[in-house]
Amino acid sequence: MMENKQKILVGLVVLLAIALISMLLLKNNAKQNKQAEQPKINRVDAPKGKIVSGFPQALIVDSSAETQSSYTIKYETENQYTASFKTDKSVKDEYSAYISFFEKNKYEVVNKSEGPVVSSIYAKDASGEVNVVISRLEKDTQTSVVVSYLKK
């Protein structure tokens, strides 16, 4: 009788071990599949103070702005170009300059938000999409402008 109970107990332990191993294998396989689904991102930074090749120079509406950084991200079907600037102009002045630029150059302004500390504009035309974020925190002495361009 005791021998049967031991066999049952050993059988249950073996089944539990098999179930645990199966769960671990399935979890590991799911993790590998998730990693395989993530697109590969190729980021290329411009030298300090320079703008990456391919960034539309016309999107720098403030000629006095100082370039902080710039990079390209190459996706499978599109390229994103980003540039970050600092300027002595106010958030309001930079926002107005970009709104005027987009209107003058026949961009469709899809979304915009104007505020005293942070303003943003999302616009597009036949060649691509542009996102502009303009900010100036209390501790900052200059306004920060980040322009991202997704070329179609």
Side-chain angles (χ1 to χ4, degrees):
M1 183 81 149
M2 190 64 144
E3 201 173 288
N4 281 342
K5 285 184 179 181
Q6 285 179 335
K7 286 182 183 179
I8 292 172
L9 186 58
V10 169
L12 286 174
V13 169
V14 169
L15 284 175
L16 185 60
I18 290 171
L20 185 59
I21 291 170
S22 296
M23 285 175 41
L24 289 173
L25 288 174
L26 287 173
K27 184 177 178 182
N28 190 33
N29 192 24
K31 185 189 270 186
Q32 287 175 345
N33 286 341
K34 186 175 182 181
Q35 288 173 345
E37 292 172 9
Q38 295 176 350
K40 184 177 178 186
I41 297 175
N42 293 321
R43 178 177 163 152
V44 177
D45 288 272
K48 187 168 176 59
K50 302 289 184 189
I51 301 293
V52 289
S53 176
F55 184 90
Q57 294 294 317
L59 291 176
I60 306 170
V61 299
D62 182 354
S63 60
S64 68
E66 181 182 325
T67 303
Q68 298 296 301
S69 65
S70 184
Y71 60 87
T72 302
I73 297 178
K74 296 181 181 187
Y75 299 99
E76 287 182 27
T77 59
E78 300 171 321
N79 290 333
Q80 174 188 327
Y81 304 92
T82 299
S84 174
F85 311 95
K86 291 280 188 180
T87 181
D88 291 325
K89 294 184 179 177
S90 69
V91 171
K92 184 176 183 64
D93 288 345
E94 285 294 311
Y95 179 83
S96 296
Y98 274 98
I99 288 293
S100 295
F101 171 82
F102 289 136
E103 289 172 354
K104 178 181 165 188
N105 290 285
K106 306 208 183 321
Y107 279 78
E108 175 190 355
V109 175
V110 178
N111 197 358
K112 61 184 179 177
S113 173
E114 185 178 12
V117 177
V118 178
S119 293
S120 63
I121 307 164
Y122 176 72
K124 64 181 181 176
D125 71 357
S127 67
E129 302 171 16
V130 183
N131 189 51
V132 180
V133 178
I134 307 158
S135 63
R136 187 174 198 158
L137 303 176
E138 286 182 31
K139 64 178 181 151
D140 292 338
T141 58
Q142 290 185 303
T143 298
S144 174
V145 180
V146 179
V147 180
S148 290
Y149 172 71
L150 186 65
K151 184 177 181 178
K152 290 184 180 177

